[in-house]
Amino acid sequence: MKKVMQKDTLYLKADTLVAIENEDPAKKRLLAYKNVKIFKPDLRGVSDSLAYFTSDSTIYFYDDPVLWSGGSQIEADSINAVLANGSIERLNMNENSFVISEDSISNYNQIKGRSMVAYFKEGSIKKVDVNGNAESLFFALDETDSYLMGMNKITCSFMIINFKLNKVDNLSSYVTPDASFIPPHELEDPERRLKDFKWRISEKPERKDVLGEEADAKPDSNDDTEEKDTGPSPKSIELETKKTNDSIKLKKNRSQLKKEE
């Protein structure tokens, strides 16, 4: 499936696609089953199944969904993505939510919680609200982003994380927060990962995984816009001219016949 939006195009691929029509716009939807892959410049993902409701531009991902957006990997038992003006506006992650991003020196910043809501602006994460059993690991780097200063570890009930340029700008923790800063020389490998950590970048779909190998032969700009009318071809002009000339000859012949009569 290909859905042209204001800024770009959303592509969807699955073993089975079912379009359900209804007089009530709220009941119209598209269902996708097995091996679901989606591709959009600011949103890519895989899941077992998916439902897309056109009335509110919301995509529901089910059964082990994983999404990638703004440099972050996003997981939960189920996820729904709300689109607005052709871009992702909000991600709702329900149960066992986990967000991971890789920094410039291959450390993995992590956020975990019972549920989360991620807010986006122009394709980038701006804020994440973590609701229940919040945990986070953030690696502090120097001003050049090339040297590890240490790791911040926080646990609490609720957490609000603000981002700037897809990086954590500030963080607020609520209800019995417990925070610690661990210097590099004291960091052990098990401490660098939260429970259930999985970096699944190998599953991230590329454009050709959704559109096929032939997609590599076409520029992105052509694929993300509707075909333009470039006018009639030289061959069609030649055919039209021939038709016109034949019509003129026919009219002349008829005129000659009338004169002879």
Side-chain angles (χ1 to χ4, degrees), residues 147-151 181-188 191-192:
Y147 181 77
L148 179 63
M149 307 291 289
M151 186 187 77
F181 181 82
I182 305 172
H185 64 278
E186 295 182 11
L187 269 175
E188 302 289 341
E191 294 177 303
R192 293 174 175 264

Side-chain angles (χ1 to χ4, degrees), residues 204-219:
K204 182 179 180 180
E206 298 297 330
R207 192 164 162 273
K208 65 181 181 180
D209 296 327
V210 180
L211 297 178
E213 294 294 338
E214 67 276 8
D216 290 338
K218 297 180 180 179

Side-chain angles (χ1 to χ4, degrees), residues 1-249:
M1 186 198 81
K2 170 182 171 181
K3 180 174 175 59
V4 179
M5 296 183 171
Q6 289 185 358
K7 297 180 180 179
D8 45 49
T9 303
L10 171 69
Y11 298 98
L12 167 65
K13 180 181 180 180
D15 291 352
T16 302
L17 294 175
V18 180
I20 298 175
E21 298 295 328
N22 196 289
E23 292 181 358
D24 182 357
K27 295 180 180 179
K28 296 174 73 171
R29 60 195 183 277
L30 178 84
L31 306 178
Y33 300 97
K34 299 297 181 184
N35 300 316
V36 173
K37 293 182 174 70
I38 67 166
F39 179 92
K40 191 173 177 289
D42 62 347
L43 181 66
R44 307 186 198 185
V46 297
S47 67
D48 175 77
S49 54
L50 170 155
Y52 175 46
F53 289 80
T54 56
S55 60
D56 58 2
S57 296
T58 302
I59 307 174
Y60 295 85
F61 300 87
Y62 303 103
D63 198 355
D64 194 28
V66 189
L67 305 180
W68 291 267
S69 182
S72 296
Q73 174 183 295
I74 299 161
E75 291 181 88
D77 289 356
S78 66
I79 302 173
N80 65 71
V82 180
L83 306 177
N85 299 320
S87 297
I88 182 170
E89 180 182 72
R90 186 174 74 252
L91 280 180
N92 299 306
M93 296 159 268
N94 307 304
E95 299 300 327
N96 300 312
S97 54
F98 210 133
V99 176
I100 306 170
S101 61
E102 186 178 18
D103 69 15
S104 57
I105 56 174
S106 300
N107 296 304
Y108 296 102
N109 295 313
Q110 301 154 59
I111 310 168
K112 185 179 179 183
R114 185 169 61 245
S115 64
M116 295 187 204
V117 181
Y119 300 90
F120 290 75
K121 185 176 182 180
E122 297 179 352
S124 299
I125 293 181
K126 287 301 177 183
K127 186 179 76 160
V128 174
D129 294 343
V130 188
N131 304 306
N133 304 326
E135 299 178 70
S136 69
L137 296 180
F138 288 105
F139 293 84
L141 306 182
D142 66 348
E143 293 181 356
T144 64
D145 288 341
S146 58
Y147 181 77
L148 179 63
M149 307 291 289
M151 186 187 77
N152 289 292
K153 181 177 181 179
I154 301 174
T155 61
C156 59
S157 294
F158 303 96
M159 191 180 294
I160 297 175
I161 304 157
N162 293 303
F163 288 75
K164 187 175 183 179
L165 299 176
N166 287 321
K167 295 182 180 180
V168 174
D169 186 44
N170 58 74
L171 181 152
S172 300
S173 53
Y174 303 92
V175 188
T176 61
D178 183 10
S180 60
F181 181 82
I182 305 172
H185 64 278
E186 295 182 11
L187 269 175
E188 302 289 341
D189 281 343
E191 294 177 303
R192 293 174 175 264
R193 305 283 188 271
L194 294 175
K195 186 181 178 182
D196 301 323
F197 172 94
K198 293 178 185 176
W199 184 237
R200 301 170 63 175
I201 196 67
S202 61
E203 300 175 46
K204 182 179 180 180
E206 298 297 330
R207 192 164 162 273
K208 65 181 181 180
D209 296 327
V210 180
L211 297 178
E213 294 294 338
E214 67 276 8
D216 290 338
K218 297 180 180 179
D220 286 344
S221 58
N222 289 343
D223 283 339
D224 288 344
T225 57
E226 295 178 322
E227 292 185 3
K228 295 181 180 179
D229 183 5
T230 56
S233 66
K235 183 66 176 176
S236 67
I237 293 173
E238 180 183 340
L239 290 173
E240 284 299 322
T241 303
K242 185 177 183 301
K243 288 178 182 178
T244 303
N245 290 337
D246 289 344
S247 176
I248 293 172
K249 288 178 183 177

